[in-house]
Amino acid sequence: LAMHVAGDFFLYWGHRCQHEGLGVLVGLPPAKSPWLWVSVHALHHTVRAPTPFATLYLHPLDTLLQGGIPYLCAYALVRPHALVFAAAVALRTSENVLHH
């Protein structure tokens, strides 16, 4: 549960930064055209019909920002057993496929 909550927290902020720019982390208003949106995350939103395959339609940096970094931060915070970490990553991946 702690891995899920921590991973979700870091994922939320990473995703929000891609939509609104890094300034939201320090209280700045959203940017009209942040680099992370235009160059990285907008690709994911070009999919017209959400399907499980849309989960794979990501820029490599988007994969890092929404998959790698949030769960590595959650791992550093929670310090779970390796099997718990693997289960948390598998659950998050499954959840992502189901929601798309």
Side-chain angles (χ1 to χ4, degrees):
L1 180 61
M3 272 298 296
H4 186 73
V5 171
D8 205 43
F9 174 81
F10 292 116
L11 172 66
Y12 168 81
W13 283 104
H15 191 228
R16 186 166 172 190
C17 286
Q18 289 184 59
H19 279 267
E20 300 178 3
L22 294 173
V24 299
L25 293 174
V26 293
L28 296 176
K32 288 189 182 219
S33 180
W35 179 83
L36 285 172
W37 169 260
V38 173
S39 302
V40 178
H41 190 60
L43 173 67
H44 178 69
H45 286 274
T46 61
V47 176
R48 293 181 185 247
T51 68
F53 296 108
T55 305
L56 304 173
Y57 200 62
L58 295 169
H59 185 281
L61 186 54
D62 200 359
T63 303
L64 184 65
L65 291 171
Q66 290 202 58
I69 292 173
Y71 262 72
L72 290 175
C73 290
Y75 178 83
L77 183 68
V78 177
R79 311 292 272 176
H81 185 276
L83 291 176
V84 172
F85 180 72
V89 170
L91 279 169
R92 174 63 74 184
T93 302
S94 300
E95 179 183 61
N96 200 9
V97 169
L98 289 171
H99 287 155
H100 283 90

